[in-house]
Amino acid sequence: MPHAFHPVVGGAEFLCRRVGEELASAGHEVVVATGNLANAEGFYLRGVSKVGPQNETIGGVRVVRLPVDRRVPPRNGRSYPLFRKGLAALIREFAPDVVMTMPHLFANVRVVLELETRYRFPLVLAPLLHEHDPAWPFEEVANAVGRAGAVVALTRHEGGRLVEAYKVDPQKVVVTRVGVDLPEKPGAHPRSPDVLILGRQTPSKGLPVLLAAMSIVWTVIPEARLLIAGPSVPGFDEPHRLLSDLPPERRSKVRNFGEVDEATKNRLLMEAACVAVPSPRESFGMVVLEAWARATPVVAIATPVLSETIHDGSDGLLTPSEPSGLAIAILALLGDPALAEAMGKAGRARVEHAYRWPDIAERFLTAYEIAIAGKR
């Protein structure tokens, strides 16, 4: 049960979709319950549009979009009464063998935790830890993962944190990865001197650091461009403000596409010289795999998670969080197309062998089996 689902774009949404589709294709009955929102932030912000239909089948998965109406006043101290009522009715109807919910403590997760006390279903959490967030609710997350029958971690680092800091029983932690869909293997072709940042335009994605790095890059390679692609967040206008504050000659070298369709995303990934991941915190960083699938090298901040994913100097470059370090890495790839091509090919080889969706779905199934066994 994710906070949002296709056609909403995001890492958690895509992970839930592809795992569900793989399990459905293997013969399991999969139902996804989610909110009827075009943006996960709609649980907290007004003005987010709705998506539908309420019931449909996507990739063999039954999708039920429950109403989220923040105008309805809380009852007995509980918010989202329509969402809670709809989910409770679906649980009674479907009688699931196991319920999985994600990520960390969005409203959908809190509602599932409340309903678990009533219906006592086997529960699996995929918390996608974001511990650098200054508002991170550590105690509440620790209580939630402690109640779960199994907890899915997307990296060994996250699995270690769940055991060491959150005191989750190691036998309940299942470490997996995120998979990626592979387009046709790209052939060698010239790439534009473009740096692409791809993802939801939120405060955590590191755009200010990347813009500062690009100011250094432009002094060496003035023809370089920065391409930004990803949905904006209602009420968060920092990307627009940052771009407006650039001098006109710099502003002309930046293009913000906003939310893009799959065809445009694929084209941008195929044509960019590199993908930048300047985020100081990532639960996994699916954009890295999307870049590698198109044989595009990556430059990323050396967070514990991305340091586990990227082999520095082989399939990408890891940098300190300062703009100067990021700029040096970007310049290394823009200035040496042969190096960039070699790293892109190495990334493509990695995802072909190590990030297959059937394998990821099997790990989720293991977590479900652990939670079910714990209820017997």
Side-chain angles (χ1 to χ4, degrees):
M1 183 181 164
H3 49 9
F5 197 72
H6 181 78
V8 179
V9 176
E13 294 87 342
F14 185 65
L15 172 61
C16 186
R17 176 187 173 189
R18 290 298 288 111
V19 169
E21 289 174 346
E22 291 293 336
L23 292 176
S25 69
H28 300 280
E29 186 179 5
V30 182
V31 176
V32 169
T34 189
N36 63 338
L37 301 167
N39 193 306
E41 281 75 16
F43 278 104
Y44 309 102
L45 301 174
R46 297 190 185 277
V48 175
S49 60
K50 304 294 178 67
V51 294
Q54 182 176 355
N55 287 275
E56 64 177 323
T57 299
I58 300 175
V61 175
R62 177 186 172 193
V63 181
V64 181
R65 292 187 172 88
L66 304 170
V68 178
D69 192 345
R70 297 181 68 245
R71 293 172 299 179
V72 178
R75 288 183 285 190
N76 300 322
R78 295 179 174 182
S79 57
Y80 314 108
L82 295 179
F83 184 79
R84 178 178 291 98
K85 181 179 179 180
L87 181 57
L90 183 63
I91 289 172
R92 290 192 298 269
E93 171 204 338
F94 184 51
D97 295 316
V98 64
V99 173
M100 186 277 287
T101 189
M102 62 194 303
H104 35 271
L105 289 171
F106 271 73
N108 63 302
V109 178
R110 289 188 166 100
V111 172
V112 169
L113 289 168
E114 290 177 11
L115 294 179
E116 188 273 335
T117 63
R118 183 192 310 174
Y119 296 105
R120 310 303 297 175
F121 45 73
L123 174 64
V124 175
L125 292 183
L128 311 187
L129 301 179
H130 280 63
E131 295 181 290
H132 289 89
D133 188 332
W136 181 249
F138 179 89
E139 295 296 335
E140 194 177 359
V141 173
N143 177 67
V145 295
R147 287 173 52 187
V151 184
V152 175
L154 298 188
T155 62
R156 293 189 302 275
H157 170 77
E158 185 179 33
R161 288 292 300 164
L162 286 166
V163 173
E164 296 162 12
Y166 296 82
K167 308 305 179 185
V168 180
D169 182 347
Q171 301 300 315
K172 293 183 177 181
V173 176
V174 177
V175 178
T176 184
R177 293 173 169 174
V178 175
V180 64
D181 293 322
L182 291 175
E184 183 179 348
K185 196 165 188 173
H189 64 280
R191 292 178 182 254
S192 304
D194 295 338
V195 178
L196 173 64
I197 177 172
L198 178 65
R200 187 177 285 133
Q201 297 185 36
T202 65
S204 66
K205 293 302 181 182
L207 181 59
V209 174
L210 181 56
L211 280 172
M214 290 303 298
S215 294
I216 300 172
V217 170
W218 284 320
T219 64
V220 181
I221 306 178
E223 66 272 23
R225 297 191 306 168
L226 174 61
L227 307 181
I228 303 168
S232 60
V233 175
F236 179 67
D237 62 355
E238 184 183 41
H240 175 75
R241 179 182 58 78
L242 289 170
L243 299 183
S244 297
D245 289 344
L246 289 174
E249 68 274 10
R250 295 279 173 84
R251 198 182 314 141
S252 66
K253 299 174 183 179
V254 181
R255 184 172 179 187
N256 189 348
F257 290 84
E259 186 170 0
V260 296
D261 58 25
E262 285 299 311
T264 303
K265 181 175 77 170
N266 184 65
R267 177 178 60 81
L268 293 173
L269 285 165
M270 292 283 289
E271 295 177 354
C274 69
V275 168
V277 189
S279 170
R281 55 182 181 270
E282 288 285 351
S283 55
F284 187 86
M286 188 177 292
V287 65
V288 173
L289 306 187
E290 292 181 314
W292 283 346
R294 281 89 178 167
T296 303
V298 295
V299 172
I301 301 298
T303 63
V305 167
L306 291 179
S307 296
E308 181 179 324
T309 304
I310 297 168
H311 295 165
D312 186 31
S314 173
D315 45 41
L317 294 174
L318 294 168
T319 82
S321 58
E322 294 79 12
S324 59
L326 195 61
I328 290 170
I330 291 171
L331 285 168
L333 294 178
L334 294 187
D336 191 342
L339 173 66
E341 182 180 355
M343 287 189 175
K345 287 181 177 179
R348 172 71 187 213
R350 289 269 315 278
V351 295
E352 285 177 349
H353 299 290
Y355 294 91
R356 299 174 61 253
W357 279 117
D359 298 336
I360 278 78
E362 189 66 29
R363 296 297 291 161
F364 270 83
L365 188 59
T366 297
Y368 300 162
E369 291 168 345
I370 291 172
I372 292 169
K375 285 290 187 180
R376 290 173 182 158

